Amino acid sequence: MLPDQFSKALMLPAKGHFVGIDRNNRLFTFLFALFPGLLASGTSVTLVLAFLWALISLATKRFTFSLTRTDKIVAWCVTFYVLVTVFSVAVHPNVAKGGPYIIKMIPFLAIWAILPRLRAGLEGRLIPFLITGAGIGMIGSLVFSIMQIAFLSARAEGGAGNAAVFGLFTVLFGCISLLNAHSDSKTERFIAIAGFACGLVCAFLSGTRSAWLVMPFNFAILYWYLRGQSLPTLTNAVKVVGSVLIVAVVAIAAMKVNERYHALEADIVQLEKQPDNVSSLKARLLLWSAAERAFLDSPLIGQGPQNRMPVVYEKLNLPADKQMTFTHVHNGFLNAAVDSGILGVLGILALLASPIIAARNKEPGPGRDLAIALALLLVTSYVITGMFGIMFGHDATDAVFIYLTIMISWMQGTSPYLSVPKVARQADADAIALSV
């Protein structure tokens, strides 16, 4: 894959109404895949801009509003989560303070406008830019992380501004990168393997233990997907480079795992010897206990997201010198339970089910296998890290989940796997097809 091939595949060698739509879809997808590790807030900004532009395009009838039956099921699963959150804000005290939580729901509705826009282009053309962009983004994220570790902090945050969010994104997008391991392009295979290795290293450098727990599950998903593909024969040079990468990842992993293990060990000892001292582990245990009590006080509709932490802190009844300033209870399901009760838990389960539904309901074929792999990587990463930290409610984690769900919905089950060079070879024909 040469730069001119990539440019031709990305930009399309022609102008025209639908050519412009398809070109912008390709650019948006590639940029979005670059952002999670390098500039996480860029994901939410890009998604909102794409949503607004899609709404304007729909209003001016640049493309038709068309959704399949499965699309509508997925869109309503996402919308149910939005409606539950809005309802919870509206029926609880301090409604004025719930404004930011309602605003955060707006990007979730993007599926209704962006998905028809993606369908106005050609099928199968966006996935190569998503996967390749993920690999390039992870390589850049490692450079960013090394600079942070060397000069700024003990835990890498990349462009996420938060080590836990960075750990989630790097383990997820690093694994997405490896989905290109069977590409017919040597350059793409290199980016796939390098992006995967860099993503894992970044996840270890972030010190996010929950992201480490994701790895064996994601490895199993990748094995399931790649075992059904025609993988290239490994040359001696590739074996040497692969061995070096494995040694480097294991060495960095051992260093960070040892460091974080001792930190956890110290927290456990502190629980026994200094129970009044609020360590990282102690804070989580306190938050989970208080969140459970807050949920049981109002199990059906919760306390309202605007009242979440005041109610939790009230349950804790900590002295002034022990007060905490968290914005969530470090468990996505408990967060939803406190916010909206059983309705909130159902809402978050519907949201997590949406990419799985989108993938499973496709016609059998290469695209369906890839969609299932993407959906499983996405949901597994969010559920496991969300059990110990933030899941939704962060602008970047919301945006990534939304757009990947839209991409999974957009994919056709029968679409063949395409590399960027293949898309480049079809660029002229694509431009003609879009111009008709």
Side-chain angles (χ1 to χ4, degrees):
M1 181 179 69
L2 300 174
D4 59 332
Q5 286 181 312
F6 187 84
S7 176
K8 187 175 182 180
L10 187 65
M11 300 304 294
L12 289 173
K15 294 182 180 180
H17 176 68
F18 287 104
V19 173
I21 290 176
D22 205 330
R23 180 188 295 122
N24 289 340
N25 289 343
R26 298 180 189 202
L27 282 166
F28 166 64
T29 301
F30 178 65
L31 289 174
F32 196 93
L34 289 176
F35 278 143
L38 294 170
L39 183 64
S41 60
T43 58
S44 55
V45 172
T46 306
L47 181 67
V48 169
L49 291 175
F51 183 25
L52 292 174
W53 190 245
L55 286 175
I56 293 170
S57 298
L58 275 173
T60 55
K61 299 182 179 180
R62 294 190 69 218
F63 56 88
T64 58
F65 179 78
S66 177
L67 295 175
T68 66
R69 180 176 177 275
T70 299
D71 292 342
K72 292 175 183 177
I73 293 172
V74 172
W76 277 114
C77 284
V78 175
T79 305
F80 176 66
Y81 171 75
V82 174
L83 294 175
V84 166
T85 302
V86 173
F87 171 79
S88 185
V89 169
V91 301
H92 289 100
N94 304 315
V95 175
K97 293 183 179 179
Y101 296 97
I102 293 177
I103 292 172
K104 286 181 179 180
M105 293 298 104
I106 293 174
F108 285 95
L109 301 175
I111 188 169
W112 291 101
I114 293 180
L115 186 50
R117 179 185 173 86
L118 297 187
R119 294 206 185 282
L122 297 173
E123 68 176 63
R125 303 303 192 267
L126 303 182
I127 295 300
F129 301 108
L130 173 70
I131 301 177
T132 301
I136 295 172
M138 287 301 100
I139 295 169
S141 296
L142 179 59
V143 176
F144 200 162
S145 298
I146 291 172
M147 292 174 63
Q148 286 181 324
I149 292 292
F151 302 107
L152 298 175
S153 63
R155 295 179 64 184
E157 298 178 353
N162 181 305
V165 173
F166 185 62
L168 162 63
F169 287 161
T170 53
V171 76
L172 172 58
F173 280 79
C175 290
I176 289 175
S177 171
L178 197 64
L179 294 173
N180 255 354
H182 63 106
S183 172
D184 58 330
S185 164
K186 290 183 180 179
T187 306
E188 274 192 1
R189 292 200 299 273
F190 171 79
I191 292 173
I193 296 169
F196 175 65
C198 290
L200 296 188
V201 172
C202 287
F204 282 115
L205 291 178
S206 75
T208 308
R209 288 171 292 217
S210 58
W212 305 348
L213 294 177
V214 174
M215 292 180 185
F217 295 94
N218 279 6
F219 293 168
I221 295 165
L222 289 169
Y223 173 75
W224 168 81
Y225 174 71
L226 291 173
R227 71 173 183 171
Q229 311 303 321
S230 299
L231 296 173
T233 304
L234 297 180
T235 63
N236 289 332
V238 171
K239 291 178 182 177
V240 170
V241 172
S243 300
V244 171
L245 285 175
I246 291 171
V247 170
V249 172
V250 170
I252 293 172
M255 176 183 68
K256 294 303 293 186
V257 168
N258 183 60
E259 177 187 314
R260 295 294 283 162
Y261 169 76
H262 286 302
L264 178 61
E265 187 179 45
D267 281 352
I268 294 173
V269 170
Q270 199 173 75
L271 282 177
E272 299 176 358
K273 295 185 176 180
Q274 297 175 297
D276 293 333
N277 192 19
V278 181
S279 63
S280 173
L281 177 59
K282 177 72 171 181
R284 276 178 169 77
L285 295 176
L286 288 172
L287 288 170
W288 295 343
S289 174
E292 180 186 6
R293 281 177 277 151
F295 163 67
L296 292 174
D297 281 352
S298 181
L300 183 59
I301 59 172
Q303 306 286 351
Q306 69 270 32
N307 304 312
R308 178 199 309 146
M309 297 317 295
V311 171
V312 167
Y313 289 146
E314 182 183 327
K315 296 295 180 185
L316 287 176
N317 195 27
L318 293 173
D321 62 328
K322 301 292 184 182
Q323 290 293 327
M324 296 183 285
T325 57
F326 295 110
T327 59
H328 58 95
V329 299
H330 283 77
N331 182 298
F333 296 103
L334 278 176
N335 229 45
V338 175
D339 288 358
S340 311
I342 293 172
L343 278 176
V345 175
L346 291 175
I348 206 168
L349 289 175
L351 185 59
L352 290 168
S354 58
I356 304 294
I357 294 170
R360 289 287 297 172
N361 284 359
K362 298 184 186 301
E363 295 180 4
R368 182 174 184 263
D369 292 343
L370 182 55
I372 290 173
L374 268 173
L376 291 175
L377 290 173
L378 174 62
V379 174
T380 301
S381 299
Y382 270 67
V383 168
I384 294 175
T385 58
M387 293 290 289
F388 303 95
I390 197 165
M391 188 184 296
F392 299 109
H394 183 286
D395 66 323
T397 61
D398 291 351
V400 166
F401 189 90
I402 296 161
Y403 191 63
L404 288 182
T405 299
I406 292 172
M407 287 294 295
I408 292 164
S409 299
W410 166 82
M411 296 168 65
Q412 299 294 316
T414 55
S415 293
Y417 171 84
L418 294 174
S419 62
V420 170
K422 282 183 178 179
V423 175
R425 288 194 291 271
Q426 297 180 29
D428 292 308
D430 286 353
I432 293 171
L434 289 164
S435 298
V436 174

